[in-house]
Amino acid sequence: MGKELLFKALRGEKTERAPWVPFVGCHGAALVDTDAETYLKSGRLMAQGILAAIKRYQPDGIPAAFDLSIEAEVLGCELVWAQENPPAVTGHLLEGDIMQFPAFDPGAGRIPCIVEAIKIAKQSIKNTALYGLVTGPFTLALHLRGTRIFMDMFDDPVSVKKLVEYCNEIGKQMADIYMNAGCDVISLVDPMTSQISPDAFREFVTPWAKDFFQHVKKYNTLTSFFVCGHAQKNVQAMCETGPHNISVDENIPLDYVKNICRENGVSFGGNLQLTVILLMGSADDVRRNVMECLTTGGDAGFVLAPGCDLPYAVPPEHLELVGRMVRDPYQQQVARELLRKKTDVKAGMNMSDYGFSDKVIVDVITLDSESCAPCQYMVEAVKAVTPHFGDLVVWREHAIKKREAVEFMMSLMVKNVPTICIDGMIKFVSTIPSRDELIRAIQERINEKFSLKLREHQGRLLVFGAGDEKGTQTWQNVQQAALELGSTVETVLLTGVDEMQRYGVAVRPAVVAINEQVKITGRVPTVDVIKEWLKALE
């Protein structure tokens, strides 16, 4: 029933319950007690992880692998491996010449391992659909070119389109490999499209994504388009590319996706919260989140899934609970009761004084730059720019797989990841800034902070008077001295007794230079003398 139930939902049909698809990638390594690198280099271990996840989580569908570096590695890009995350692409093959397209060998890299994993797993899988996940053409193009591609879209759009077309041809070859190995659903995963506008999406992504889905549909295979990140602005454009299904993460309200997809005759999936709920939450948190998604998704054309690749350390009992809930009305009733008592991670930090240190602080709030492509490239953008400012600027990543990072994110009122904050102020939300944009934003803050420091350290001249002749004459002399000198030092007339006591003034009139000392009391200073005081305060 599970596989057919999923197929019905992907086609937009009404189902007796929502199908459940956990995106198990490197989390499978935790299930077989190994690290991500060892796991993702072994077809045998990946097959064991797939089968372990099916046994424990009772899914209706599951990916064969969730790793968006596979194609880039085959093409010659450098990878950096991690123990609990998929590898990150760090060496961009076409950084120098965008048109030097390398040859693609479908038998190279880790492709044979994945094919082996699929074939081993298929021997034991009876009623669970296998997803083949293909790196989308825009994300693969960015892996090859690096963040320079965003400037290329303005300066050399023709070359960018040729690169995306080339990447799409590789994507179609990967789809064929997955289908021939036995995958039931082909998903195009293109997270970097969350970084571009709908117009740019339609210019640089739509023609080739359409071609990809048409290619897969020729083989009567169901398709899904998955864009994690803050892709709400592009949901309509995603629908226009012609997939059977669109899958989104927690950045996008599920009801919004539901409405857009139904208007376009496309099914939809999502969007369990990865970190706050599945990774760090309690069992009750999981129940509430599942019930929220099921209630919003409804019973037609909805697939329950996490917002992205499951973190390595997600407690298996949380995912087992999801598997039970989609099948058990009693568990759902318990969750409905819990919805009335909803509690979340709170913004418990006092950030009122944040950003007032001598250095400018650049905070990058991410899911995790080791496992999230948009997060990785936003971190890379910051790392590339901050040396430009020497020791005036420090930067930090806050990966929200940790509870303290979630609290930090909420305290800064950040709603989406990845986001760049400068001295606690949100500056770039789910959009990777160009080098010039980021330099300009940081420089503006440096200038602002320098101006504040100048005002903070610049002296003031306080005149204490009582409204009598001497007090009036003293104030007039101060004004005259400032005028003749062209001084920018702030001058202030004070008449209250409390102010006198605070500054240790016993007799009026008096003139006090802040950061210096009481200059005179009991008599009127001359204009020339006041000028000297003002000069010392400049």
Side-chain angles (χ1 to χ4, degrees):
M1 172 186 167
K3 184 189 292 188
E4 290 303 318
L5 183 82
L6 174 63
F7 291 168
K8 287 178 67 176
L10 290 174
R11 290 192 293 262
E13 299 172 16
K14 190 170 183 177
T15 53
E16 58 191 74
R17 65 168 176 83
W20 153 233
V21 180
F23 291 132
V24 175
C26 63
H27 175 71
L31 296 180
V32 296
D33 197 26
T34 189
D35 61 88
E37 180 176 3
T38 302
Y39 179 79
L40 294 173
K41 290 181 176 179
S42 169
R44 178 183 58 82
L45 287 175
M46 283 193 285
Q48 290 176 8
I50 292 168
L51 295 175
I54 290 173
K55 182 178 180 179
R56 298 190 67 167
Y57 306 149
Q58 305 176 63
D60 302 294
I62 195 168
F66 202 125
D67 181 350
L68 302 186
S69 71
I70 293 167
E71 295 90 337
E73 182 185 26
V74 171
L75 293 170
C77 290
E78 297 174 12
L79 305 184
V80 172
W81 287 88
Q83 295 298 296
E84 296 189 356
N85 290 302
V89 177
T90 57
H92 307 298
L93 199 66
L94 304 184
E95 207 161 25
D97 187 346
I98 191 173
M99 298 303 291
Q100 291 295 311
F101 301 155
F104 179 73
D105 181 357
R110 287 175 291 125
I111 293 175
C113 293
I114 296 167
V115 171
E116 179 188 9
I118 295 168
K119 290 184 176 180
I120 293 173
K122 288 288 285 188
Q123 294 174 8
S124 301
I125 294 174
K126 295 181 180 179
N127 204 24
T128 304
L130 270 183
Y131 276 64
L133 270 54
V134 176
T135 304
F138 190 78
T139 295
L140 182 55
L142 196 138
H143 284 337
L144 294 171
R145 180 64 170 163
T147 55
R148 291 183 61 181
I149 197 170
F150 295 112
M151 292 303 298
D152 294 334
M153 291 165 68
F154 295 98
D155 298 337
D156 191 6
V158 173
S159 294
V160 173
K161 291 173 185 177
K162 288 180 180 178
L163 175 57
V164 174
E165 181 180 18
Y166 159 78
C167 292
N168 185 57
E169 291 302 316
I170 292 171
K172 290 192 292 186
Q173 290 184 61
M174 288 297 296
D176 292 345
I177 290 168
Y178 284 127
M179 287 187 288
N180 290 334
C183 285
D184 306 287
V185 180
I186 299 298
S187 181
L188 193 68
V189 188
D190 212 345
M192 296 310 302
T193 61
S194 65
Q195 304 298 301
I196 59 178
S197 69
D199 287 343
F201 186 103
R202 290 184 173 96
E203 181 177 0
F204 293 100
V205 178
T206 295
W208 296 280
K210 271 187 177 180
D211 179 63
F212 177 87
F213 292 125
Q214 289 170 358
H215 172 80
V216 175
K217 286 179 177 179
K218 288 191 303 186
Y219 299 96
N220 296 316
T221 300
L222 291 162
T223 59
S224 180
F225 197 172
F226 182 18
V227 176
C228 60
H230 192 50
Q232 181 168 338
K233 58 186 177 295
N234 289 330
V235 171
Q236 174 63 36
M238 290 169 65
C239 289
E240 294 166 6
T241 62
H244 292 96
N245 172 267
I246 282 175
S247 190
V248 300
D249 77 7
E250 62 201 72
N251 281 295
I252 310 177
L254 194 58
D255 54 353
Y256 175 87
V257 178
K258 174 182 177 178
N259 293 335
I260 297 295
C261 286
R262 286 189 171 172
E263 289 173 4
N264 287 273
V266 176
S267 65
F268 62 105
N271 64 350
L272 292 169
Q273 293 177 261
L274 279 177
T275 55
V276 175
I277 302 297
L278 293 180
L279 180 62
M280 297 182 299
S282 66
D284 284 348
D285 293 329
V286 174
R287 289 187 180 95
R288 282 191 291 265
N289 191 213
V290 170
M291 204 60 235
E292 287 168 343
C293 290
L294 291 177
T295 302
T296 303
D299 60 358
F302 172 62
V303 178
L304 180 67
C308 195
D309 181 18
L310 287 164
Y312 179 95
V314 166
E317 55 269 23
H318 285 176
L319 301 174
E320 291 170 348
L321 177 56
V322 178
R324 292 196 301 271
M325 282 195 64
V326 295
R327 290 172 168 80
D328 188 344
Y330 172 74
Q331 292 279 356
Q332 295 178 21
Q333 182 59 39
V334 171
R336 287 191 185 94
E337 294 300 319
L338 288 169
L339 280 173
R340 301 176 186 176
K341 310 169 186 176
K342 182 177 179 182
T343 58
D344 293 318
V345 176
K346 301 298 182 183
M349 299 181 183
N350 181 359
M351 310 298 284
S352 58
D353 295 325
Y354 196 77
F356 285 93
S357 65
D358 290 338
K359 298 180 185 296
V360 170
I361 304 171
V362 180
D363 293 298
V364 192
I365 295 91
T366 69
L367 176 61
D368 188 339
S369 63
E370 291 185 349
S371 61
C372 163
C375 300
Q376 174 195 338
Y377 287 116
M378 188 168 274
V379 166
E380 283 190 9
V382 172
K383 285 173 67 176
V385 159
T386 49
H388 176 83
F389 299 98
D391 62 359
L392 289 175
V393 175
V394 294
W395 75 274
R396 298 176 294 210
E397 178 184 0
H398 304 267
I400 63 169
K401 288 183 179 179
K402 298 179 180 178
R403 180 172 291 272
E404 58 268 25
V406 176
E407 292 179 354
F408 181 85
M409 169 184 173
M410 297 178 69
S411 297
L412 289 184
M413 303 183 72
V414 172
K415 302 297 184 184
N416 305 106
V417 293
T419 287
I420 293 174
C421 296
I422 299 177
D423 271 349
M425 295 174 283
I426 297 171
K427 290 296 182 181
F428 301 99
V429 179
S430 293
T431 301
I432 298 171
S434 68
R435 178 180 174 84
D436 290 344
E437 287 175 322
L438 189 52
I439 287 176
R440 185 163 54 250
I442 294 173
Q443 189 64 59
E444 285 175 356
R445 179 54 182 166
I446 290 173
N447 295 345
E448 181 182 41
K449 185 168 278 190
F450 181 68
S451 177
L452 287 171
K453 289 293 182 184
L454 280 179
R455 291 199 297 272
E456 191 176 289
H457 293 293
Q458 188 179 43
R460 290 187 300 159
L461 207 62
L462 307 183
V463 177
F464 294 86
D468 58 3
E469 183 178 348
K470 283 186 177 181
T472 301
Q473 185 61 55
T474 299
W475 177 243
Q476 289 176 349
N477 286 1
V478 166
Q479 298 300 299
Q480 184 67 26
L483 182 63
E484 292 180 8
L485 192 63
S487 174
T488 59
V489 171
E490 183 182 8
T491 57
V492 182
L493 176 62
L494 300 172
T495 59
V497 175
D498 290 343
E499 286 93 348
M500 289 177 59
Q501 293 175 346
R502 190 191 320 161
Y503 288 97
V505 174
V507 182
R508 292 181 291 191
V511 178
V512 175
I514 298 301
N515 297 334
E516 290 289 334
Q517 58 186 358
V518 177
K519 293 295 187 181
I520 194 170
T521 64
R523 54 195 177 88
V524 179
T526 66
V527 170
D528 288 338
V529 169
I530 295 170
K531 284 183 180 180
E532 295 305 313
W533 296 340
L534 291 170
K535 289 177 184 178
L537 292 172
E538 289 284 359

